[in-house]
Amino acid sequence: MTEGERQILVQLRKEPHRFGWLIGKTKLRPMHSQWVHHVWHPTQSRALMAHRGSYKSTGIVEVGVPWWLMFHPNDRIAICRNTKTDAEQAISVFRNTMRMPEVRELFKMAHGEYPEFTVDQSDHVSWSFKKTMTREGNIDGYGIDSSMTGKHYDIILCDDIVTKEDRYSHAKRQ
């Protein structure tokens, strides 16, 4: 890795919102980098609440997941959304992000090889940079009623598990 490549990766690690800009998420700001660092903590479970339309899912999920994998390639991440279909839609975003030439180049800088899909399913994706052999993928998707029994994840990210439509139901919120 050249010194210039190392500096690019150092900058992206400090400011994940810039990675977001690279993949077309141009409304992200330095505040979103703070959110990413807050939520994507390596040893603590953390949550974030902010108003609707503040780009939480964009910054923390759509940018945060590939950004995290750039620096933690063997991590197993579970995305939990209200429904499994919602989780699969999030995984579709990651799938498209990882196909972008600019992102492929960044991952080559970080890992010495272009990321190639080793598993590419609607609810389960892995790339060639994951060197540990586990039944969990780099990213797996679940709805709130999906079973995760017997699965082991490094990160479990819950996003929009209670929707605007659910907010009136105490049972659904529980």
Side-chain angles (χ1 to χ4, degrees):
M1 175 185 315
T2 69
E3 180 60 26
E5 291 171 339
R6 192 182 77 67
Q7 288 299 322
I8 289 169
L9 293 174
V10 166
Q11 185 73 30
L12 289 178
R13 188 171 199 148
K14 288 180 186 175
E15 299 182 286
H17 74 281
R18 292 181 183 270
F19 179 74
W21 293 349
L22 177 75
I23 63 173
K25 311 298 183 183
T26 58
K27 293 185 178 184
L28 299 181
R29 298 292 173 250
M31 169 186 67
H32 294 96
S33 285
Q34 293 172 358
W35 290 359
V36 168
H37 285 291
H38 174 78
V39 171
W40 288 93
H41 193 277
T43 61
Q44 296 179 2
S45 296
R46 295 180 172 180
L48 176 76
M49 290 175 52
H51 66 84
R52 289 199 179 275
S54 62
Y55 300 99
K56 294 178 303 296
S57 293
T58 302
I60 294 169
V61 180
E62 293 179 11
V63 171
V65 169
W67 170 83
W68 184 262
L69 288 174
M70 194 179 318
F71 304 105
H72 303 90
N74 290 311
D75 274 7
R76 300 155 301 170
I77 301 170
I79 302 295
C80 299
R81 307 267 331 250
N82 188 280
T83 67
K84 186 169 182 171
T85 302
D86 293 340
E88 289 171 345
Q89 289 171 347
I91 289 174
S92 174
V93 172
F94 308 134
R95 191 180 287 112
N96 291 334
T97 296
M98 295 301 288
R99 288 187 175 119
M100 295 176 69
E102 301 87 351
V103 173
R104 290 176 52 76
E105 288 296 331
L106 285 173
F107 272 78
K108 183 178 183 205
M109 278 186 227
H111 305 296
E113 63 181 88
Y114 289 111
E116 302 299 339
F117 287 91
T118 56
V119 178
D120 187 6
Q121 299 171 357
S122 64
D123 64 345
H124 177 84
V125 291
S126 284
W127 289 276
S128 54
F129 53 76
K130 182 176 185 275
K131 302 303 183 194
T132 57
M133 303 311 295
T134 63
R135 60 182 164 164
E136 301 85 9
N138 280 118
I139 309 168
D140 293 344
Y142 296 93
I144 58 172
D145 59 352
S146 300
S147 173
M148 296 173 71
T149 303
K151 298 290 180 97
H152 304 279
Y153 292 97
D154 300 293
I155 305 277
I156 298 174
L157 189 62
C158 296
D159 179 48
D160 291 339
I161 56 175
V162 176
T163 66
K164 202 179 338 184
E165 293 75 31
D166 300 332
R167 68 182 169 192
Y168 300 110
S169 168
H170 179 73
K172 190 80 168 191
R173 288 192 309 275
Q174 291 299 330

